[in-house]
Short mmCIF file of all heavy atoms in Angstrom, two decimals:
data_model
loop_
_atom_site.label_atom_id
_atom_site.label_comp_id
_atom_site.label_asym_id
_atom_site.label_seq_id
_atom_site.Cartn_x
_atom_site.Cartn_y
_atom_site.Cartn_z
N MET A 13 6.07 6.10 -0.44
CA MET A 13 5.45 4.80 -0.30
C MET A 13 4.99 4.35 -1.68
O MET A 13 4.46 5.15 -2.45
CB MET A 13 4.25 4.92 0.64
CG MET A 13 3.68 3.62 1.09
SD MET A 13 2.15 3.08 0.31
CE MET A 13 1.15 4.53 0.15
N ARG A 14 5.23 3.08 -1.98
CA ARG A 14 4.72 2.60 -3.26
C ARG A 14 4.41 1.11 -3.17
O ARG A 14 4.90 0.41 -2.29
CB ARG A 14 5.69 2.89 -4.40
CG ARG A 14 6.94 2.06 -4.36
CD ARG A 14 7.86 2.45 -5.51
NE ARG A 14 9.03 1.57 -5.55
CZ ARG A 14 9.04 0.41 -6.18
NH1 ARG A 14 7.99 -0.02 -6.84
NH2 ARG A 14 10.13 -0.34 -6.16
N VAL A 15 3.61 0.66 -4.11
CA VAL A 15 3.28 -0.75 -4.20
C VAL A 15 4.08 -1.35 -5.34
O VAL A 15 4.07 -0.83 -6.46
CB VAL A 15 1.77 -0.97 -4.46
CG1 VAL A 15 1.46 -2.45 -4.60
CG2 VAL A 15 0.95 -0.35 -3.35
N ASP A 16 4.78 -2.42 -5.06
CA ASP A 16 5.50 -3.15 -6.10
C ASP A 16 4.49 -4.01 -6.85
O ASP A 16 4.00 -5.02 -6.34
CB ASP A 16 6.57 -4.03 -5.44
CG ASP A 16 7.44 -4.74 -6.48
OD1 ASP A 16 6.95 -4.95 -7.61
OD2 ASP A 16 8.58 -5.08 -6.15
N GLN A 17 4.18 -3.57 -8.07
CA GLN A 17 3.12 -4.24 -8.84
C GLN A 17 3.48 -5.69 -9.17
O GLN A 17 2.61 -6.52 -9.41
CB GLN A 17 2.87 -3.48 -10.15
CG GLN A 17 2.70 -1.99 -9.98
CD GLN A 17 1.29 -1.63 -9.63
OE1 GLN A 17 0.38 -1.87 -10.40
NE2 GLN A 17 1.09 -1.05 -8.46
N GLU A 18 4.75 -5.98 -9.21
CA GLU A 18 5.20 -7.35 -9.52
C GLU A 18 4.90 -8.29 -8.35
O GLU A 18 4.61 -9.46 -8.53
CB GLU A 18 6.71 -7.36 -9.79
CG GLU A 18 7.14 -6.45 -10.91
CD GLU A 18 6.81 -7.05 -12.27
OE1 GLU A 18 7.14 -8.22 -12.49
OE2 GLU A 18 6.21 -6.34 -13.10
N ARG A 19 4.99 -7.74 -7.15
CA ARG A 19 4.79 -8.58 -5.97
C ARG A 19 3.33 -8.69 -5.56
O ARG A 19 2.91 -9.69 -4.98
CB ARG A 19 5.56 -8.00 -4.78
CG ARG A 19 7.05 -8.18 -4.89
CD ARG A 19 7.67 -7.79 -3.57
NE ARG A 19 9.13 -7.82 -3.63
CZ ARG A 19 9.90 -7.52 -2.59
NH1 ARG A 19 9.37 -7.16 -1.44
NH2 ARG A 19 11.21 -7.57 -2.71
N CYS A 20 2.56 -7.65 -5.79
CA CYS A 20 1.18 -7.63 -5.34
C CYS A 20 0.39 -8.79 -5.93
O CYS A 20 0.40 -9.01 -7.13
CB CYS A 20 0.51 -6.31 -5.73
SG CYS A 20 -1.25 -6.26 -5.31
N GLN A 21 -0.27 -9.53 -5.05
CA GLN A 21 -1.09 -10.66 -5.49
C GLN A 21 -2.57 -10.42 -5.20
O GLN A 21 -3.38 -11.35 -5.23
CB GLN A 21 -0.64 -11.94 -4.77
CG GLN A 21 0.78 -12.34 -5.08
CD GLN A 21 0.96 -12.77 -6.53
OE1 GLN A 21 0.11 -13.43 -7.10
NE2 GLN A 21 2.07 -12.37 -7.13
N GLY A 22 -2.91 -9.19 -4.88
CA GLY A 22 -4.31 -8.84 -4.72
C GLY A 22 -4.95 -9.29 -3.41
O GLY A 22 -6.14 -9.57 -3.38
N HIS A 23 -4.18 -9.34 -2.37
CA HIS A 23 -4.76 -9.74 -1.08
C HIS A 23 -5.71 -8.68 -0.52
O HIS A 23 -6.51 -8.97 0.36
CB HIS A 23 -3.65 -10.02 -0.07
CG HIS A 23 -2.87 -11.25 -0.40
ND1 HIS A 23 -3.38 -12.52 -0.22
CD2 HIS A 23 -1.63 -11.40 -0.93
CE1 HIS A 23 -2.47 -13.40 -0.61
NE2 HIS A 23 -1.41 -12.75 -1.06
N ASN A 24 -5.53 -7.46 -0.98
CA ASN A 24 -6.50 -6.40 -0.68
C ASN A 24 -6.47 -5.90 0.76
O ASN A 24 -7.33 -5.13 1.17
CB ASN A 24 -7.91 -6.88 -1.03
CG ASN A 24 -8.76 -5.78 -1.59
OD1 ASN A 24 -8.36 -4.61 -1.62
ND2 ASN A 24 -9.94 -6.11 -2.05
N ARG A 25 -5.53 -6.34 1.53
CA ARG A 25 -5.47 -5.89 2.92
C ARG A 25 -5.11 -4.42 3.02
O ARG A 25 -5.57 -3.71 3.91
CB ARG A 25 -4.46 -6.72 3.71
CG ARG A 25 -4.88 -8.16 3.85
CD ARG A 25 -3.96 -8.88 4.79
NE ARG A 25 -4.19 -10.32 4.73
CZ ARG A 25 -3.46 -11.20 5.39
NH1 ARG A 25 -2.46 -10.80 6.14
NH2 ARG A 25 -3.72 -12.47 5.30
N CYS A 26 -4.26 -3.99 2.12
CA CYS A 26 -3.84 -2.58 2.16
C CYS A 26 -5.05 -1.66 2.00
O CYS A 26 -5.23 -0.71 2.75
CB CYS A 26 -2.81 -2.31 1.08
SG CYS A 26 -3.34 -2.82 -0.57
N PHE A 27 -5.88 -1.98 1.02
CA PHE A 27 -7.05 -1.15 0.75
C PHE A 27 -8.04 -1.21 1.91
O PHE A 27 -8.64 -0.21 2.28
CB PHE A 27 -7.72 -1.60 -0.55
CG PHE A 27 -8.95 -0.82 -0.90
CD1 PHE A 27 -8.86 0.52 -1.24
CD2 PHE A 27 -10.19 -1.43 -0.87
CE1 PHE A 27 -10.00 1.25 -1.56
CE2 PHE A 27 -11.33 -0.71 -1.19
CZ PHE A 27 -11.24 0.63 -1.53
N ALA A 28 -8.17 -2.39 2.51
CA ALA A 28 -9.09 -2.54 3.64
C ALA A 28 -8.60 -1.73 4.84
O ALA A 28 -9.40 -1.16 5.59
CB ALA A 28 -9.22 -4.02 4.01
N LEU A 29 -7.30 -1.68 5.03
CA LEU A 29 -6.73 -1.01 6.20
C LEU A 29 -6.56 0.49 5.99
O LEU A 29 -6.64 1.25 6.94
CB LEU A 29 -5.37 -1.63 6.54
CG LEU A 29 -5.42 -3.04 7.13
CD1 LEU A 29 -4.05 -3.69 7.04
CD2 LEU A 29 -5.89 -2.99 8.57
N ALA A 30 -6.28 0.88 4.77
CA ALA A 30 -5.97 2.28 4.51
C ALA A 30 -6.52 2.72 3.16
O ALA A 30 -5.77 2.97 2.22
CB ALA A 30 -4.46 2.49 4.56
N PRO A 31 -7.84 2.84 3.06
CA PRO A 31 -8.46 3.20 1.77
C PRO A 31 -8.08 4.60 1.29
O PRO A 31 -8.26 4.90 0.12
CB PRO A 31 -9.97 3.10 2.05
CG PRO A 31 -10.10 3.17 3.54
CD PRO A 31 -8.84 2.60 4.11
N ASN A 32 -7.55 5.41 2.18
CA ASN A 32 -7.09 6.74 1.76
C ASN A 32 -5.75 6.69 1.05
O ASN A 32 -5.37 7.66 0.39
CB ASN A 32 -6.95 7.68 2.97
CG ASN A 32 -8.29 8.03 3.57
OD1 ASN A 32 -9.32 7.96 2.90
ND2 ASN A 32 -8.28 8.40 4.83
N LEU A 33 -5.06 5.60 1.22
CA LEU A 33 -3.69 5.51 0.69
C LEU A 33 -3.56 4.59 -0.51
O LEU A 33 -2.57 4.66 -1.24
CB LEU A 33 -2.73 5.04 1.79
CG LEU A 33 -2.62 5.93 3.02
CD1 LEU A 33 -1.72 5.29 4.06
CD2 LEU A 33 -2.11 7.30 2.63
N PHE A 34 -4.54 3.70 -0.68
CA PHE A 34 -4.44 2.70 -1.75
C PHE A 34 -5.72 2.61 -2.54
O PHE A 34 -6.81 2.89 -2.04
CB PHE A 34 -4.18 1.30 -1.15
CG PHE A 34 -2.92 1.22 -0.34
CD1 PHE A 34 -2.96 1.42 1.02
CD2 PHE A 34 -1.71 0.95 -0.95
CE1 PHE A 34 -1.80 1.35 1.78
CE2 PHE A 34 -0.54 0.88 -0.21
CZ PHE A 34 -0.59 1.08 1.16
N ASP A 35 -5.57 2.18 -3.78
CA ASP A 35 -6.72 1.80 -4.58
C ASP A 35 -6.37 0.49 -5.27
O ASP A 35 -5.19 0.13 -5.39
CB ASP A 35 -7.05 2.88 -5.60
CG ASP A 35 -8.48 2.75 -6.11
OD1 ASP A 35 -9.22 1.86 -5.63
OD2 ASP A 35 -8.87 3.54 -6.99
N VAL A 36 -7.38 -0.23 -5.69
CA VAL A 36 -7.16 -1.53 -6.32
C VAL A 36 -7.80 -1.50 -7.69
O VAL A 36 -8.94 -1.05 -7.85
CB VAL A 36 -7.81 -2.65 -5.46
CG1 VAL A 36 -7.60 -4.01 -6.09
CG2 VAL A 36 -7.22 -2.64 -4.05
N ASP A 37 -7.05 -1.95 -8.70
CA ASP A 37 -7.58 -1.89 -10.06
C ASP A 37 -8.45 -3.12 -10.38
O ASP A 37 -8.69 -3.96 -9.52
CB ASP A 37 -6.44 -1.71 -11.08
CG ASP A 37 -5.56 -2.96 -11.20
OD1 ASP A 37 -5.97 -4.05 -10.74
OD2 ASP A 37 -4.46 -2.82 -11.76
N ASP A 38 -8.92 -3.19 -11.62
CA ASP A 38 -9.85 -4.25 -12.00
C ASP A 38 -9.24 -5.64 -11.90
O ASP A 38 -9.95 -6.64 -11.88
CB ASP A 38 -10.33 -4.02 -13.44
CG ASP A 38 -11.23 -2.80 -13.54
OD1 ASP A 38 -11.73 -2.35 -12.50
OD2 ASP A 38 -11.43 -2.32 -14.66
N TYR A 39 -7.93 -5.70 -11.86
CA TYR A 39 -7.25 -7.00 -11.76
C TYR A 39 -6.92 -7.35 -10.31
O TYR A 39 -6.30 -8.37 -10.03
CB TYR A 39 -5.97 -6.99 -12.60
CG TYR A 39 -6.23 -6.71 -14.05
CD1 TYR A 39 -6.07 -5.42 -14.55
CD2 TYR A 39 -6.66 -7.72 -14.91
CE1 TYR A 39 -6.33 -5.13 -15.89
CE2 TYR A 39 -6.93 -7.44 -16.24
CZ TYR A 39 -6.76 -6.15 -16.72
OH TYR A 39 -7.04 -5.87 -18.04
N GLY A 40 -7.30 -6.46 -9.39
CA GLY A 40 -7.02 -6.71 -7.98
C GLY A 40 -5.64 -6.26 -7.55
O GLY A 40 -5.22 -6.52 -6.42
N VAL A 41 -4.94 -5.59 -8.44
CA VAL A 41 -3.60 -5.11 -8.10
C VAL A 41 -3.70 -3.72 -7.49
O VAL A 41 -4.36 -2.84 -8.03
CB VAL A 41 -2.70 -5.07 -9.36
CG1 VAL A 41 -1.33 -4.48 -9.03
CG2 VAL A 41 -2.56 -6.47 -9.95
N ALA A 42 -3.04 -3.57 -6.35
CA ALA A 42 -3.11 -2.30 -5.63
C ALA A 42 -2.10 -1.30 -6.19
O ALA A 42 -1.06 -1.68 -6.73
CB ALA A 42 -2.83 -2.53 -4.16
N HIS A 43 -2.44 -0.03 -6.04
CA HIS A 43 -1.45 1.01 -6.30
C HIS A 43 -1.65 2.14 -5.30
O HIS A 43 -2.71 2.28 -4.71
CB HIS A 43 -1.54 1.52 -7.74
CG HIS A 43 -2.89 2.05 -8.12
ND1 HIS A 43 -3.86 1.25 -8.70
CD2 HIS A 43 -3.44 3.26 -7.98
CE1 HIS A 43 -4.94 1.97 -8.91
NE2 HIS A 43 -4.73 3.19 -8.48
N GLU A 44 -0.60 2.90 -5.11
CA GLU A 44 -0.63 3.97 -4.13
C GLU A 44 -1.38 5.17 -4.69
O GLU A 44 -1.30 5.46 -5.87
CB GLU A 44 0.79 4.37 -3.72
CG GLU A 44 1.64 4.94 -4.82
CD GLU A 44 2.28 3.86 -5.72
OE1 GLU A 44 2.06 2.67 -5.49
OE2 GLU A 44 3.00 4.27 -6.65
N LEU A 45 -2.09 5.85 -3.83
CA LEU A 45 -2.79 7.07 -4.22
C LEU A 45 -1.88 8.27 -3.95
O LEU A 45 -0.85 8.16 -3.28
CB LEU A 45 -4.08 7.21 -3.41
CG LEU A 45 -5.18 6.17 -3.70
CD1 LEU A 45 -6.36 6.40 -2.74
CD2 LEU A 45 -5.64 6.25 -5.14
N ASN A 46 -2.27 9.41 -4.50
CA ASN A 46 -1.58 10.66 -4.20
C ASN A 46 -0.10 10.61 -4.56
O ASN A 46 0.74 11.22 -3.89
CB ASN A 46 -1.76 11.00 -2.71
CG ASN A 46 -1.40 12.44 -2.41
OD1 ASN A 46 -1.57 13.32 -3.25
ND2 ASN A 46 -0.89 12.67 -1.21
N GLY A 47 0.23 9.84 -5.60
CA GLY A 47 1.63 9.76 -6.03
C GLY A 47 2.54 9.15 -4.99
O GLY A 47 3.76 9.33 -5.06
N GLY A 48 1.96 8.43 -4.04
CA GLY A 48 2.79 7.78 -3.04
C GLY A 48 3.14 8.67 -1.86
O GLY A 48 3.85 8.24 -0.95
N VAL A 49 2.64 9.91 -1.89
CA VAL A 49 2.90 10.81 -0.77
C VAL A 49 1.95 10.48 0.37
O VAL A 49 0.73 10.46 0.19
CB VAL A 49 2.71 12.29 -1.20
CG1 VAL A 49 2.90 13.21 -0.01
CG2 VAL A 49 3.67 12.63 -2.32
N VAL A 50 2.51 10.18 1.53
CA VAL A 50 1.70 9.83 2.70
C VAL A 50 1.61 11.03 3.63
O VAL A 50 2.64 11.50 4.12
CB VAL A 50 2.32 8.63 3.45
CG1 VAL A 50 1.48 8.27 4.67
CG2 VAL A 50 2.46 7.43 2.53
N PRO A 51 0.41 11.53 3.88
CA PRO A 51 0.27 12.63 4.83
C PRO A 51 0.79 12.20 6.20
O PRO A 51 0.66 11.03 6.57
CB PRO A 51 -1.25 12.87 4.89
CG PRO A 51 -1.79 12.26 3.64
CD PRO A 51 -0.88 11.10 3.32
N PRO A 52 1.40 13.13 6.94
CA PRO A 52 1.99 12.77 8.24
C PRO A 52 1.05 12.02 9.17
O PRO A 52 1.46 11.08 9.84
CB PRO A 52 2.37 14.13 8.83
CG PRO A 52 2.58 15.01 7.65
CD PRO A 52 1.61 14.53 6.60
N ASP A 53 -0.21 12.39 9.17
CA ASP A 53 -1.13 11.74 10.09
C ASP A 53 -1.60 10.37 9.60
O ASP A 53 -2.40 9.70 10.27
CB ASP A 53 -2.34 12.64 10.39
CG ASP A 53 -3.15 12.96 9.15
OD1 ASP A 53 -2.65 12.73 8.03
OD2 ASP A 53 -4.28 13.45 9.29
N GLU A 54 -1.09 9.93 8.45
CA GLU A 54 -1.44 8.60 7.96
C GLU A 54 -0.24 7.69 7.83
O GLU A 54 -0.34 6.58 7.30
CB GLU A 54 -2.18 8.72 6.63
CG GLU A 54 -3.49 9.47 6.79
CD GLU A 54 -4.40 9.36 5.58
OE1 GLU A 54 -4.20 8.47 4.76
OE2 GLU A 54 -5.32 10.18 5.48
N GLU A 55 0.89 8.16 8.35
CA GLU A 55 2.10 7.34 8.27
C GLU A 55 1.93 6.01 9.01
O GLU A 55 2.41 4.98 8.57
CB GLU A 55 3.30 8.10 8.84
CG GLU A 55 3.85 9.12 7.85
CD GLU A 55 4.97 9.94 8.45
OE1 GLU A 55 5.48 9.57 9.52
OE2 GLU A 55 5.32 10.95 7.82
N HIS A 56 1.26 6.09 10.15
CA HIS A 56 1.06 4.86 10.91
C HIS A 56 0.26 3.85 10.09
O HIS A 56 0.61 2.67 10.04
CB HIS A 56 0.34 5.17 12.23
CG HIS A 56 0.01 3.93 13.02
ND1 HIS A 56 0.97 3.16 13.64
CD2 HIS A 56 -1.17 3.29 13.25
CE1 HIS A 56 0.40 2.12 14.22
NE2 HIS A 56 -0.89 2.17 14.01
N GLN A 57 -0.79 4.35 9.45
CA GLN A 57 -1.61 3.46 8.62
C GLN A 57 -0.80 2.84 7.48
O GLN A 57 -1.00 1.69 7.13
CB GLN A 57 -2.77 4.25 8.02
CG GLN A 57 -4.05 4.17 8.84
CD GLN A 57 -5.14 4.97 8.18
OE1 GLN A 57 -5.05 6.19 8.09
NE2 GLN A 57 -6.17 4.30 7.73
N ALA A 58 0.08 3.64 6.92
CA ALA A 58 0.91 3.13 5.83
C ALA A 58 1.78 1.98 6.33
O ALA A 58 1.93 0.95 5.66
CB ALA A 58 1.78 4.25 5.26
N ARG A 59 2.32 2.15 7.52
CA ARG A 59 3.18 1.09 8.07
C ARG A 59 2.36 -0.15 8.43
O ARG A 59 2.82 -1.28 8.22
CB ARG A 59 3.90 1.60 9.32
CG ARG A 59 4.98 2.59 9.01
CD ARG A 59 5.72 3.00 10.27
NE ARG A 59 6.08 4.40 10.23
CZ ARG A 59 7.03 4.90 9.46
NH1 ARG A 59 7.74 4.09 8.70
NH2 ARG A 59 7.29 6.18 9.46
N VAL A 60 1.18 0.07 8.96
CA VAL A 60 0.32 -1.07 9.29
C VAL A 60 -0.03 -1.84 8.02
O VAL A 60 0.04 -3.07 7.99
CB VAL A 60 -0.97 -0.59 10.00
CG1 VAL A 60 -1.99 -1.73 10.11
CG2 VAL A 60 -0.64 -0.06 11.39
N ALA A 61 -0.36 -1.12 6.97
CA ALA A 61 -0.69 -1.77 5.70
C ALA A 61 0.50 -2.56 5.18
O ALA A 61 0.36 -3.71 4.76
CB ALA A 61 -1.13 -0.73 4.67
N ALA A 62 1.67 -1.94 5.23
CA ALA A 62 2.88 -2.62 4.75
C ALA A 62 3.13 -3.89 5.55
O ALA A 62 3.47 -4.94 4.99
CB ALA A 62 4.08 -1.68 4.84
N ALA A 63 2.94 -3.80 6.86
CA ALA A 63 3.20 -4.94 7.73
C ALA A 63 2.19 -6.07 7.49
O ALA A 63 2.48 -7.23 7.77
CB ALA A 63 3.17 -4.52 9.19
N ASN A 64 1.02 -5.71 6.97
CA ASN A 64 -0.03 -6.71 6.78
C ASN A 64 -0.11 -7.27 5.36
O ASN A 64 -0.95 -8.12 5.09
CB ASN A 64 -1.39 -6.11 7.16
CG ASN A 64 -1.61 -6.15 8.66
OD1 ASN A 64 -2.06 -7.16 9.19
ND2 ASN A 64 -1.26 -5.08 9.35
N CYS A 65 0.75 -6.79 4.48
CA CYS A 65 0.76 -7.34 3.13
C CYS A 65 1.56 -8.64 3.12
O CYS A 65 2.75 -8.64 3.40
CB CYS A 65 1.38 -6.36 2.14
SG CYS A 65 1.52 -7.07 0.49
N PRO A 66 0.89 -9.75 2.80
CA PRO A 66 1.57 -11.06 2.83
C PRO A 66 2.68 -11.17 1.80
O PRO A 66 3.55 -12.03 1.91
CB PRO A 66 0.46 -12.06 2.53
CG PRO A 66 -0.82 -11.32 2.73
CD PRO A 66 -0.53 -9.88 2.44
N GLU A 67 2.64 -10.32 0.78
CA GLU A 67 3.63 -10.40 -0.30
C GLU A 67 4.76 -9.40 -0.11
O GLU A 67 5.64 -9.30 -0.96
CB GLU A 67 2.95 -10.16 -1.65
CG GLU A 67 1.73 -11.03 -1.92
CD GLU A 67 2.06 -12.52 -1.98
OE1 GLU A 67 3.21 -12.86 -2.26
OE2 GLU A 67 1.15 -13.33 -1.71
N PHE A 68 4.74 -8.65 0.96
CA PHE A 68 5.75 -7.59 1.20
C PHE A 68 5.85 -6.67 -0.01
O PHE A 68 6.94 -6.27 -0.42
CB PHE A 68 7.12 -8.21 1.52
CG PHE A 68 7.06 -9.17 2.68
CD1 PHE A 68 7.10 -10.54 2.46
CD2 PHE A 68 6.96 -8.70 3.98
CE1 PHE A 68 7.04 -11.43 3.52
CE2 PHE A 68 6.90 -9.59 5.05
CZ PHE A 68 6.94 -10.96 4.82
N ALA A 69 4.70 -6.34 -0.57
CA ALA A 69 4.69 -5.55 -1.80
C ALA A 69 4.66 -4.04 -1.54
O ALA A 69 4.83 -3.27 -2.46
CB ALA A 69 3.48 -5.94 -2.64
N ILE A 70 4.43 -3.67 -0.28
CA ILE A 70 4.31 -2.25 0.04
C ILE A 70 5.61 -1.75 0.63
O ILE A 70 6.08 -2.26 1.64
CB ILE A 70 3.14 -2.01 1.01
CG1 ILE A 70 1.84 -2.48 0.38
CG2 ILE A 70 3.06 -0.52 1.38
CD1 ILE A 70 0.70 -2.60 1.36
N LEU A 71 6.16 -0.75 -0.02
CA LEU A 71 7.45 -0.22 0.39
C LEU A 71 7.25 1.18 0.95
O LEU A 71 6.82 2.10 0.25
CB LEU A 71 8.40 -0.17 -0.81
CG LEU A 71 8.45 -1.50 -1.61
CD1 LEU A 71 9.23 -1.33 -2.89
CD2 LEU A 71 9.04 -2.60 -0.75
N VAL A 72 7.54 1.33 2.22
CA VAL A 72 7.40 2.63 2.89
C VAL A 72 8.80 3.19 3.13
O VAL A 72 9.61 2.54 3.79
CB VAL A 72 6.67 2.49 4.24
CG1 VAL A 72 6.50 3.86 4.90
CG2 VAL A 72 5.32 1.82 4.05
N ASP A 73 9.06 4.35 2.57
CA ASP A 73 10.37 4.93 2.86
C ASP A 73 10.27 5.73 4.15
O ASP A 73 9.24 6.32 4.48
CB ASP A 73 10.90 5.78 1.70
CG ASP A 73 9.80 6.55 1.00
OD1 ASP A 73 9.12 7.34 1.67
OD2 ASP A 73 9.61 6.33 -0.20
N GLU A 74 11.34 5.71 4.88
CA GLU A 74 11.33 6.28 6.24
C GLU A 74 11.39 7.79 6.24
O GLU A 74 11.04 8.43 7.22
CB GLU A 74 12.50 5.70 7.04
CG GLU A 74 12.38 4.20 7.28
CD GLU A 74 11.08 3.85 8.05
OE1 GLU A 74 10.73 4.59 8.97
OE2 GLU A 74 10.45 2.85 7.70
N GLU A 75 11.86 8.38 5.17
CA GLU A 75 11.95 9.83 5.13
C GLU A 75 10.62 10.45 4.72
O GLU A 75 10.17 10.25 3.60
CB GLU A 75 13.01 10.29 4.13
CG GLU A 75 14.41 9.92 4.53
CD GLU A 75 15.39 10.29 3.41
OE1 GLU A 75 15.29 11.41 2.91
OE2 GLU A 75 16.22 9.46 3.06
N GLY A 76 10.02 11.16 5.62
CA GLY A 76 8.81 11.93 5.38
C GLY A 76 7.91 11.27 4.41
O GLY A 76 7.33 11.77 3.56
FE1 LIG B 107 -1.43 -6.30 -3.01
FE2 LIG B 107 -0.46 -6.59 -0.62
FE3 LIG B 107 -2.35 -4.90 -1.01
S1 LIG B 107 -0.74 -8.19 -2.12
S2 LIG B 107 -3.55 -5.73 -2.68
S3 LIG B 107 -0.32 -4.78 -1.87
S4 LIG B 107 -2.16 -6.22 0.73
#
C-alpha cells in the first residue's frame, strides 16, 4: 500500500480513518507508515481509506 504524493491533496481522510497506517506531514501530504506493509488485520481499514480518498491517491495492492 502506498500514497501517491503527486495525487494527495491533503484531505486527511486516510489519517482519520486509519491512523495506524498513515501519517500526514507538515504540508498535509499523507504517507504510508511501516514501509507500506499492511498487517492482515488492518487490510480492511486500508481499503476503506483508499475508497474514501477523493483523489484516489491511495494504492492498495491485492497481494498480502
Ligand atoms: Fe491525501 Fe487522500 Fe489522505 S488526498 S491526505 S491520501 S485522504
Side-chain angles (χ1 to χ4, degrees):
M13 192 257 320
R14 71 182 185 87
V15 178
D16 184 335
Q17 312 275 298
E18 303 283 312
R19 288 190 185 180
C20 175
Q21 297 293 321
H23 291 286
N24 216 353
R25 293 189 191 175
C26 53
F27 179 67
L29 288 163
N32 291 337
L33 299 176
F34 300 94
D35 199 3
V36 180
D37 70 16
D38 291 343
Y39 301 97
V41 176
H43 57 268
E44 64 278 1
L45 292 177
N46 195 31
V49 176
V50 179
D53 61 346
E54 297 193 17
E55 281 176 13
H56 176 70
Q57 266 180 294
R59 288 183 217 287
V60 169
N64 278 276
C65 176
E67 308 297 336
F68 305 104
I70 300 166
L71 311 171
V72 182
D73 37 59
E74 295 301 320
E75 294 174 47

